Amino acid sequence: MFKNIRSTVALLLFFAGVLNYLDRAALSVMAPLVKKDLHIDDAQMGILFSCFFIGYCLFCFLGGWGADRYGPRKVFGWAAVVWSLFCGATALAGSFFQLLIVRVLFGIGEGPMGTTTNKSISNWFPRREVGRAVGFSNAGQPLGAAVAAPIVGLIGLHFGWRVSFVAIAILGFVWLAFWLWLFRDKPEQHPRITAAERTLITAERPATRLTEKGAPSRVRLWRYVFSLPVLGVAAAFFCFNYIQFFFLSWLPSYLTDFQHLDIKSMSLIGILPWLGATIGFIGGGLVSDALYRRTGNFLQSRKLVIFCGLAVAALCVMLTAWASSVTMAVTLITLASVFAYMTPQACWSLLQDIVPAERIGTAGGFVHLLANLAGILSPGITGFLIQYGGGYASAFMLASVLALAGMLLLAVFVRQRSVNALRALA
C-alpha cells in the first residue's frame, strides 16, 4: 500500500489522532447550541469539558500498562470501540447530568490513545526517525480539531448538534476496521514486512532494553516513573496541555462570545490555529531530528525544541489578553499554536530515550496521566474565570504563566547526569 509498512503504521496513528480530536472538539464547537438546548451556563460547560478528563487520565496510565502487557493492537482496538460508542451516545443526552456521565465514559475510551501511539512508534521506528514519526502521527490531532470547526459546525447548523456526534462515531468504527486489518504489535509479527525493513527497525529501536535477553528486570517500575527526568517531562507536558485544552475547549466560545463572530464565521476562522498546530507538530519533529543529526545529543535536541516552543507560546498567549481585534487575536493564537505544538512530540521522543523499551508504555501512561490533569483543570478553571473572575484576559494570562513554569521545570529536572543515572539502572 505504501513504500514500507511503518509508513502505513504512521498513517493509521495519524488518522487515529484526527478522529480523537475531531470528536473531543465537537462539544466545544457545538457549545453555543448545546448550552441553549440544555440550558447550560459557562461554569457548567467548563465542568463538562473537564469531566471528560476524569476517565481519560485514569486510562492514560491503564492504557499504557495494557499496551506493555497485551500490545497496542488490542488496546487501541478496544479503545476505539468505547470512544466511538460514547461519542455517538452524546446525541442521546437530554440534560447536564446525562451529558456529564457520557463525557466521563467517552474520556475512558480516548485515554489510551497517546501512550499506545507512543508504544507503537517505539516498536515500529528506528531511532533516527522517532522525531518525524511522533510529529507526523500526532499532527493528526490538531488537524482533527481544525476540521471539527467546519465539519461539526456546518452539520450542526443544518441537521442539529446531535447528528454531528453520530456521524463522527461511524468514522471511528471505520478506522477500527483498518487498524485491525493492517496493524501488528511488532515488525516481527507482520506478514507483509520485508526482511530489510524488519532489520532496519529492530537494529535501531529508540528505547534501551532492560536486559539483553529480555529477562525480567529487578528494577521496579516506580524507580523510573518517579525519577526527576520523567517528572520533568511530565511537567513540561502538563503546561503545554493546559494551553492546548484551554484552546480546544474555549476557543470557539471566545470567538463567538468575546469577539462576536457568528457560528458560521467561527467555524471557518477557527480552523487557522489548528492548522498552525499541525505545522508545529510536523515541524517540531523535523527540527528535533535535524538537531540530533547535527549535534549527536538526543537529549539536548529535544529539550531545546520544548524550551523554545513554550517560550514563544507563552509570549503570544500573554499578548492575546490585550488583543484589540479578531485579526490580532487569531494571529497571536495561531502563532502560539505553531510553537506550543512543537513540544509534545519532543516530550514523547525524549521519554523514549529516558525509559527502557519494556517500561515505555507504563511510564508513558503515567506521564500522560499527570499531563492530562491539565484537561481536568484548564477547562473548568477557565469557565469560572470567564464567569466569576477577570474574564478571558485572566484566562490567557494564567495559561502564559504556566508555559513559563514548564520551561523552568524542564531545565531543572531533565539533566544529562540524572538521565545517565536512570539509564544505568537498566
Side-chain angles (χ1 to χ4, degrees):
M1 184 173 293
F2 300 99
K3 64 179 181 179
N4 53 53
I5 300 298
R6 65 188 188 279
S7 296
T8 304
V9 170
L11 201 59
L12 286 167
L13 296 172
F14 172 85
F15 281 113
V18 171
L19 283 171
N20 270 232
Y21 274 65
L22 173 63
D23 54 23
R24 77 173 67 172
L27 183 61
S28 63
V29 174
M30 289 289 94
L33 299 180
V34 173
K35 286 192 294 185
K36 182 178 180 180
D37 189 20
L38 302 184
H39 307 291
I40 294 172
D41 61 29
D42 285 328
Q44 288 176 311
M45 185 56 67
I47 293 171
L48 287 173
F49 290 143
S50 294
C51 73
F52 167 89
F53 291 93
I54 296 173
Y56 186 89
C57 287
L58 176 61
F59 276 80
C60 286
F61 179 73
L62 293 178
W65 172 83
D68 278 341
R69 185 174 179 85
Y70 302 109
R73 186 170 184 263
K74 289 182 179 178
V75 172
F76 230 151
W78 279 110
V81 171
V82 175
W83 90 55
S84 299
L85 280 175
F86 286 102
C87 178
T90 306
L92 303 176
S95 68
F96 168 76
F97 290 104
Q98 289 176 6
L99 193 53
L100 187 148
I101 293 170
V102 170
R103 291 292 289 180
V104 172
L105 296 173
F106 177 40
I108 287 174
E110 292 209 347
M113 186 203 70
T115 51
T116 307
T117 296
N118 204 39
K119 178 71 175 182
S120 302
I121 292 171
S122 178
N123 286 350
W124 270 94
F125 288 87
R127 186 184 184 91
R128 74 188 75 167
E129 297 178 2
V130 165
R132 283 171 287 173
V134 176
F136 175 77
S137 298
N138 287 286
Q141 298 171 16
L143 186 61
V147 300
I151 291 177
V152 177
L154 294 177
I155 290 176
L157 283 175
H158 287 88
F159 303 103
W161 65 269
R162 299 178 189 274
V163 176
S164 59
F165 288 95
V166 175
I168 299 169
I170 293 171
L171 291 176
F173 285 110
V174 172
W175 177 88
L176 173 62
F178 280 96
W179 175 257
L180 296 176
W181 174 35
L182 296 172
F183 183 81
R184 298 296 182 272
D185 287 329
K186 294 182 178 180
E188 299 90 327
Q189 300 168 350
H190 205 289
R192 292 184 293 276
I193 195 170
T194 64
E197 185 181 9
R198 182 172 60 247
T199 300
L200 172 67
I201 296 168
T202 56
E204 198 190 343
R205 281 201 174 110
T208 56
R209 300 191 67 83
L210 288 172
T211 63
E212 290 186 3
K213 297 182 180 180
S217 171
R218 290 176 293 179
V219 181
R220 293 187 179 276
L221 170 66
W222 309 114
R223 292 287 299 277
Y224 294 104
V225 299
F226 288 124
S227 65
L228 285 180
V230 171
L231 292 175
V233 173
F237 210 150
F238 173 94
C239 295
F240 156 75
N241 268 353
Y242 191 94
I243 296 175
Q244 174 182 220
F245 297 128
F246 171 34
F247 288 170
L248 193 66
S249 300
W250 285 103
L251 181 57
S253 295
Y254 169 74
L255 294 175
T256 55
D257 296 343
F258 189 81
Q259 296 292 350
H260 308 296
L261 296 178
D262 57 37
I263 292 179
K264 184 177 180 180
S265 299
M266 176 273 293
S267 297
L268 298 175
I269 293 175
I271 297 174
L272 297 177
W274 302 113
L275 292 179
T278 303
I279 293 170
F281 252 134
I282 297 174
L286 293 173
V287 169
S288 60
D289 278 353
L291 288 171
Y292 171 56
R293 288 193 300 270
R294 186 177 182 86
T295 65
N297 191 319
F298 194 93
L299 182 75
Q300 293 303 324
S301 64
R302 269 57 185 174
K303 282 183 64 177
L304 183 60
V305 169
I306 297 169
F307 196 89
C308 293
L310 288 177
V312 177
L315 176 62
C316 292
V317 170
M318 183 178 296
L319 292 175
T320 307
W322 293 286
S324 58
S325 67
V326 175
T327 301
M328 183 182 296
V330 172
T331 299
L332 288 169
I333 292 171
T334 301
L335 285 173
S337 297
V338 171
F339 284 92
Y341 274 81
M342 294 175 69
T343 65
Q345 52 77 24
C347 288
W348 281 123
S349 54
L350 184 60
L351 191 65
Q352 291 184 19
D353 193 54
I354 295 172
V355 180
E358 290 85 350
R359 302 299 197 198
I360 194 68
T362 311
F366 181 75
V367 167
H368 213 212
L369 185 157
L370 294 181
N372 281 285
L373 292 176
I376 297 175
L377 297 173
S378 179
I381 290 173
T382 302
F384 279 91
L385 285 174
I386 292 169
Q387 186 151 342
Y388 303 113
Y392 281 101
S394 61
F396 280 110
M397 291 296 295
L398 177 58
S400 176
V401 169
L402 285 173
L404 296 173
M407 296 165 52
L408 176 63
L409 292 170
L410 179 77
V412 172
F413 286 179
V414 185
R415 298 185 177 183
Q416 191 68 60
R417 180 182 299 177
S418 56
V419 171
N420 290 341
L422 196 62
R423 288 175 183 163
L425 295 176

